Amino acid sequence: MTEQYVRDLRQVDPTWVAVVGGKGAHLGALSRIDDVRVPDGFCVTTDAFRRIMAQAPSIDDQLDQLSCVDPDDRQAVRTLSERIRRTIEEVVIPDDLAAAITGALARFGEQAAYAVRSSATAEDLPTASFAGQQDTYLNVVGPAAILQHVSRCWASLFTERAVTYRRRGGIDHRTVLMAVVVQRMVLPQASGILFTADPVTGDRKVATVDAGFGLGEALVSGLVNPDVFRVRDGEVVAKAIAAKERAVHALPAGGTREVAVDARRQEQPALTDAQAVSLVRLGRRIEAHFGRPQDIEWCLVDDGFRIVQSRPITTLFPIPEAGDEENHVYVSVGHGQMMTDPMKPLGYSMWQLTAMVPMQEAGGRLFVDVTRRLASPASRAGLLDALGKGDPLIRDALETVLEREDFVPSLPDAGPGGPPAGGAPTPIPTDPALVTELIERSRVSIAALERDIRTKTGPELFDFLLEAFEEHKRVLSDPLSIQAIMAGMEATWWLNDKLQEWLGEKNAADTLTLSAPDNVTSEMGLALLDVADVIRPLPEVLAFLREVEGEDFLDELAKVAGGSEARDAIEAYLDRYGMRCVGEIDITRPRWRERPATLVPVLLDNVRIFEPGAAERRFEQGRLKAQKKEQDVLSRLRALPDGDRKADETQRMIERVRTFIGYREYPKYGIISRYFVYKQALLKEAERLVRAGVLPEREDSFYLTFQELRDVVRANRVDDRLIQQRKEAFRSYHELTPPRVLTSDGEALNGAYRREDAPAGALIGVPVSAGTVEGRARVVLDMAEADLEAGDILVTTFTDPSWSPLFVGIAGLVTEVGGLMTHGAVIAREYGLPAVVGVERATSLIRDGQRIRVHASDGYVEILP
């Protein structure tokens, strides 16, 4: 019976998380590593916790109440969690359980000092550390005190911070159990934390040691600043020695207290350089054992180091697998595609199979390896120029890597790097018929896909799709399409450069491109205004839409007065744009056609904010404004020396940019149209797997790559554990912020704006659509929850084309991600919205409702008092 409740640490292995919790399992594993010394002790198992919980009948009702509380309602969480802790602490420990614990104490020294530490089953895990969420008690002396503190550890499963952490992580309170670790107390000269990877930069080759005198509580509690050692390749490469005025020491009778450090010792290092290097060497052994970077708590006693805890560092962004030991530099795909959220495996694998360049996955995001193109001087300049035009921060991050001359070797010529990125293809004539032809080519190709895929099922479907992906890439790489895209972008750059040089005017192309033809994304926003015109005069339809909750409302809509007309208008809109959604490059994201209720709030806002005929008026106003700008620019140019030549060249470029710039958005529309066809076919296969009992739910297929789903369809069998692991990993990826640039050492770089032309305190970004606007900031993280008024300035993380229906009702735009030619920037210019993108941490630095001023010609945002 004793073994049911108590286990010696040296009996425990890493598979025992359910029995001894995450911390206990890690300590057991640590104690088995050669040369790693872990203080002796034992674990009070989760069976003991279950027994205590069973003796508190009111707990079930209290947990039910806790599960219903909003995690943001801090007072309610605090009140309920305090009540649950009190209930647990008041349970009398049964005699046999108490005897098992005190019997274990007798083996290690009944009157010795111990550390009593919580060890939850959802703690120190690879995807969630839960660090600091439960309690630890140091220097506990005597059996009665040990039992009391074991109860406190059980109760600490329900601290306010632990409850909130679990709720936000989607973890059911009932699924988490508490074990308790009881270890002989170590009384160290120094202690601290070792990170085997740099926790700030992510560099896996740099270890960081934080050290202070006495017990580690002084550092953990923030009582003192630590000494910090940075160790790389077996030597200290940097260190900062702090003035350590206080320390925490153990008291002989139990407990701890703060003491003053002798003034002569305060600025002495807590470790020598040799000790720091030796500790890191030990840390590398522990890291190798667990297979990932570790956050290690250590103590230094006379004869060496003791390890009292090791947990994975869960905040590091994963590194793409390269399969070699060479240095690699990766650029984020999500920052270019304006979708930095994690993708599910089916989503990223489909993008990999249909992309024009090889991509690697890490942390649910995709990256392109640009090492070889950076290594060649011939391709490097073109790559930096192309990426810099898209996002200056990516260019700066890459230049930071290049400044370290030993990381990217220089090749003698372009060689494997290929042609310079962004190199201009052969020019084409300024002919609108070319755009018409390209759009028709795409339409015909998609129609053929829709026709041919209908009869394909099972393995035959996957064979067909692999062929369809080749057609997909052929359409994307159509030389005429690339020429048309480049023609529009190059004309934009030419106009901005020349008109600033000749007339001193910034970003003139922003106005000259207003209401350009053939822009399918801006047309999408205006088309929803036309739908609003249909429903505006229908009071019963409006009343019905204000109460919409489910996704099947279109059938019900037809039953109210005017509902058939309204439904037809919405259906027509969905027929043209229903394949779109937020994060649309991930095929697993729900499309508007699948969740049409997403559009209802925007539609109702359009009814409320705009007058009838707004779409046509807005387009015409933009066209006239562009026309007026063209006349003004040409007239001012003709007044300059050599003015006729400059005016003629400019007029040709204006005609060129207006011919081609709208087409810039069409290839993405074609990609997403194809994706919806692929998705519908794959979902039918997933539904067949559900009917066959292979998958519990069709959306489980999203956690398999395309290749894995193909194998499941062939075998009619799936690895349920793999799907569960993928779900847990996907949840954890939401906590990670993807860097713009990532190295194979794990260093995450986001670049910096090296500018001094903005006022102090301004938020710097990229100017993408000229103008200045002041208004109320609305921080919106989910398009479906947008609550916008005319004149508001939208502040969000990123905007892909699906956000364009919101653009018609706002006065300005600020995003955290983006560059000059990303989709949000293109549509902002199309609608004449002052916009600054690439503003780091905009959604946290700007509060919802604050007044801000967007200086979109100069690329910065001011927060107003």
Side-chain angles (χ1 to χ4, degrees):
M1 182 62 75
T2 298
E3 283 203 348
Q4 181 181 355
Y5 298 128
V6 174
R7 291 282 187 167
D8 190 299
L9 265 180
R10 297 186 185 280
Q11 292 180 298
V12 171
D13 68 40
T15 65
W16 285 33
V17 172
V19 178
V20 297
K23 185 179 287 131
H26 267 73
L27 285 167
L30 282 166
S31 67
R32 294 162 178 257
I33 304 173
D34 289 344
D35 300 326
V36 174
R37 301 169 73 179
V38 176
D40 289 336
F42 59 91
C43 298
V44 181
T45 68
T46 52
D47 277 343
F49 177 74
R50 282 194 186 94
R51 187 162 173 196
I52 293 299
M53 294 290 278
Q55 291 188 216
S58 64
I59 283 284
D60 276 342
D61 289 341
Q62 293 174 24
L63 288 177
D64 287 341
Q65 293 175 51
L66 192 61
S67 297
C68 296
V69 169
D70 184 339
D72 293 323
D73 186 346
R74 297 189 63 180
Q75 184 55 52
V77 170
R78 185 178 301 121
T79 301
L80 283 167
S81 57
E82 282 177 359
R83 190 183 307 158
I84 292 172
R85 290 201 307 279
R86 200 162 50 245
T87 300
I88 295 171
E89 288 186 40
E90 288 171 355
V91 174
V92 176
I93 300 178
D95 290 345
D96 61 328
L97 175 51
I101 296 171
T102 55
L105 281 176
R107 292 199 303 275
F108 294 103
E110 196 171 73
Q111 293 303 317
Y114 290 86
V116 183
R117 315 170 71 194
S118 63
S119 180
T121 52
E123 185 176 1
D124 294 350
L125 303 179
T127 57
S129 73
F130 287 81
Q133 301 307 310
Q134 287 92 32
D135 291 343
T136 286
Y137 301 96
L138 299 178
N139 205 38
V140 183
V141 179
I146 296 287
L147 290 173
Q148 180 186 31
H149 286 85
V150 167
S151 283
R152 288 180 177 174
C153 281
W154 285 329
S156 76
L157 187 63
F158 296 97
T159 62
E160 179 187 349
R161 60 187 181 272
V163 165
T164 302
Y165 194 102
R166 286 195 296 271
R167 283 295 304 276
R168 289 187 172 151
I171 297 171
D172 185 341
H173 301 302
R174 285 184 170 84
T175 64
V176 183
L177 303 174
M178 179 67 83
V180 181
V181 175
V182 181
Q183 278 181 289
R184 284 290 297 259
M185 190 69 191
V186 175
L187 304 177
Q189 293 98 358
S191 57
I193 299 169
L194 161 64
F195 296 97
T196 64
D198 189 314
V200 177
T201 68
D203 193 333
R204 275 34 168 206
K205 292 190 175 178
V206 174
T208 302
V209 178
D210 289 2
F213 295 127
L215 293 169
E217 287 301 289
L219 302 186
V220 174
S221 65
L223 182 64
V224 296
N225 290 323
D227 297 339
V228 180
F229 299 81
R230 287 168 58 82
V231 178
R232 182 183 179 112
D233 296 332
E235 64 176 304
V236 175
V237 295
K239 63 181 173 181
I241 306 304
K244 300 170 286 297
E245 297 177 356
R246 311 286 292 172
V248 174
H249 285 177
L251 296 171
T256 62
R257 73 170 179 184
E258 293 178 22
V259 297
V261 175
D262 186 287
R264 290 169 297 181
R265 291 188 65 215
Q266 287 178 6
E267 296 193 20
Q268 290 181 6
L271 294 177
T272 65
D273 284 9
Q275 286 172 329
V277 169
S278 175
L279 176 61
V280 169
R281 195 177 299 120
L282 192 62
R284 292 291 182 214
R285 189 173 294 131
I286 294 169
E287 177 185 67
H289 180 84
F290 289 116
R292 57 186 300 156
Q294 296 289 300
D295 164 358
I296 299 168
E297 294 181 23
W298 57 269
C299 297
L300 176 66
V301 293
D302 293 332
D303 57 346
F305 291 101
R306 303 291 188 276
I307 303 302
V308 295
Q309 188 162 327
S310 183
R311 63 169 71 92
I313 307 175
T314 59
T315 56
L316 298 176
F317 200 88
I319 306 170
E321 292 184 10
D324 59 39
E325 298 299 317
E326 302 297 319
N327 288 346
H328 293 270
V329 182
Y330 303 97
V331 170
S332 165
V333 172
H335 285 81
Q337 289 294 331
M338 301 292 282
M339 210 294 275
T340 55
D341 289 347
M343 300 168 73
K344 291 175 184 158
L346 186 61
Y348 66 68
S349 65
M350 293 283 280
W351 194 261
Q352 287 172 309
L353 287 165
T354 53
M356 301 306 298
V357 294
M359 295 179 179
Q360 284 85 31
E361 179 271 338
R365 280 81 168 188
L366 291 172
F367 294 84
V368 174
D369 187 342
V370 296
T371 317
R372 302 185 87 178
R373 293 170 75 176
L374 281 178
S376 165
S379 60
R380 182 187 307 145
L383 178 72
L384 292 173
D385 184 56
L387 292 175
K389 282 192 167 92
D391 185 339
L393 291 176
I394 290 179
R395 177 175 187 141
D396 183 81
L398 290 174
E399 287 174 338
T400 300
V401 176
L402 289 169
E403 285 168 8
R404 301 166 194 159
E405 296 179 0
D406 60 337
F407 194 83
V408 179
S410 189
L411 297 176
D413 52 44
T426 308
I428 54 175
T430 304
D431 183 358
L434 294 175
V435 174
T436 304
E437 179 187 342
L438 285 167
I439 291 172
E440 179 61 14
R441 284 187 194 178
S442 177
R443 189 197 65 76
V444 168
S445 178
I446 292 169
L449 171 66
E450 291 173 330
R451 181 190 66 238
D452 296 342
I453 205 171
R454 285 178 193 144
T455 58
K456 306 297 189 291
T457 60
E460 184 188 10
L461 169 66
F462 288 83
D463 294 339
F464 173 83
L465 283 171
L466 288 172
E467 293 177 10
F469 297 162
E470 294 307 309
E471 167 67 5
H472 181 122
K473 290 191 279 189
R474 187 197 65 74
V475 171
L476 277 184
S477 61
D478 182 341
L480 183 61
S481 178
I482 295 170
Q483 287 170 319
I485 292 168
M486 291 304 301
M489 292 196 295
E490 288 171 344
T492 300
W493 300 330
W494 189 96
L495 287 166
N496 281 336
D497 291 346
K498 292 298 184 183
L499 294 181
Q500 183 161 8
E501 176 189 342
W502 293 337
L503 299 176
E505 187 163 340
K506 288 183 180 178
N507 305 312
D510 294 356
T511 306
L512 293 167
T513 54
L514 290 173
S515 299
D518 299 314
N519 188 320
V520 70
T521 307
S522 62
E523 289 168 1
M524 179 168 66
L526 297 177
L528 203 60
L529 291 176
D530 290 334
V531 178
D533 286 352
V534 173
I535 68 173
R536 187 177 287 106
L538 303 171
E540 291 190 35
V541 168
L542 291 172
F544 175 86
L545 291 176
R546 289 188 188 106
E547 302 300 321
V548 162
E549 291 182 358
E551 299 301 337
D552 56 355
F553 70 93
L554 288 173
D555 290 337
E556 295 299 314
L557 176 59
K559 299 173 184 176
V560 306
S564 294
E565 184 183 358
R567 184 185 66 177
D568 290 348
I570 295 171
E571 286 282 5
Y573 184 86
L574 292 172
D575 285 345
R576 180 148 172 76
Y577 305 110
M579 77 293 291
R580 310 219 82 149
C581 68
V582 173
E584 60 192 8
I585 69 169
D586 181 352
I587 196 172
T588 71
R589 290 285 191 105
R591 311 284 131 175
W592 290 344
R593 171 54 81 181
E594 296 168 311
R595 291 193 185 168
T598 305
L599 292 171
V600 171
V602 187
L603 193 51
L604 291 172
D605 282 347
N606 286 350
V607 170
R608 178 170 50 85
I609 295 171
F610 296 99
E611 297 295 324
E616 187 176 349
R617 272 197 311 280
R618 283 182 68 98
F619 188 84
E620 185 60 15
Q621 286 166 0
R623 192 187 66 79
L624 291 174
K625 192 173 179 181
Q627 190 177 73
K628 183 179 177 183
K629 183 69 172 180
E630 177 179 0
Q631 292 165 353
D632 171 62
V633 162
L634 295 179
S635 130
R636 288 159 61 201
L637 286 173
R638 288 197 172 95
L640 299 175
D642 198 21
D644 286 343
R645 178 188 63 80
K646 292 173 180 173
D648 288 346
E649 285 185 20
T650 301
Q651 189 168 23
R652 286 196 296 274
M653 281 299 177
I654 291 172
E655 182 184 357
R656 191 165 181 80
V657 79
R658 291 190 66 80
T659 296
F660 292 116
I661 199 64
Y663 179 71
R664 164 76 175 76
E665 291 294 295
Y666 201 87
K668 182 73 171 285
Y669 175 79
I671 291 170
I672 303 307
S673 297
R674 289 176 181 279
Y675 265 37
F676 192 42
V677 179
Y678 304 153
K679 181 179 185 179
Q680 288 172 305
L682 290 172
L683 281 176
K684 286 180 182 175
E685 282 304 302
E687 287 165 358
R688 185 190 64 74
L689 292 170
V690 171
R691 289 194 300 273
V694 177
L695 290 178
E697 298 178 9
R698 68 174 191 168
E699 284 75 17
D700 285 346
S701 63
F702 296 164
Y703 294 94
L704 301 169
T705 65
F706 177 85
Q707 297 88 339
E708 289 166 347
L709 182 56
R710 182 186 191 185
D711 292 341
V712 168
V713 166
R714 282 178 170 165
N716 240 27
R717 187 173 60 252
V718 71
D719 182 347
D720 295 326
R721 290 171 303 171
L722 175 64
I723 290 178
Q724 190 56 41
Q725 288 166 5
R726 293 276 177 77
K727 287 181 178 181
E728 291 169 4
F730 181 71
R731 277 195 296 270
S732 74
Y733 294 156
H734 281 280
E735 303 301 316
L736 300 174
T737 300
R740 285 176 167 82
V741 171
L742 183 64
T743 73
S744 49
D745 284 353
E747 189 174 8
L749 300 103
N750 278 297
Y753 295 111
R754 307 190 188 277
R755 290 169 45 186
E756 298 178 357
D757 58 347
L763 308 181
I764 308 297
V766 182
V768 297
S769 182
T772 300
V773 65
E774 181 179 318
R776 180 180 67 160
R778 296 315 309 262
V779 179
V780 179
L781 302 180
D782 183 345
M783 175 182 158
E785 295 176 5
D787 181 16
L788 300 166
E789 300 286 345
D792 282 347
I793 298 169
L794 174 62
V795 181
T796 189
T797 48
F798 58 79
T799 59
D800 59 15
S802 70
W803 286 71
S804 64
L806 291 183
F807 283 21
V808 298
I810 58 175
L813 174 68
V814 178
T815 70
E816 293 181 345
V817 176
L820 190 62
M821 296 311 295
T822 46
H823 297 278
V826 171
I827 303 310
R829 288 194 291 273
E830 175 72 16
Y831 286 157
L833 292 175
V836 179
V837 302
V839 179
E840 289 282 274
R841 298 176 55 231
T843 60
S844 55
L845 295 173
I846 300 171
R847 293 196 311 273
D848 186 53
Q850 275 187 316
R851 288 196 70 77
I852 61 174
R853 185 179 296 125
V854 178
H855 296 264
S857 298
D858 297 308
Y860 65 89
V861 179
E862 288 183 287
I863 300 175
L864 302 177

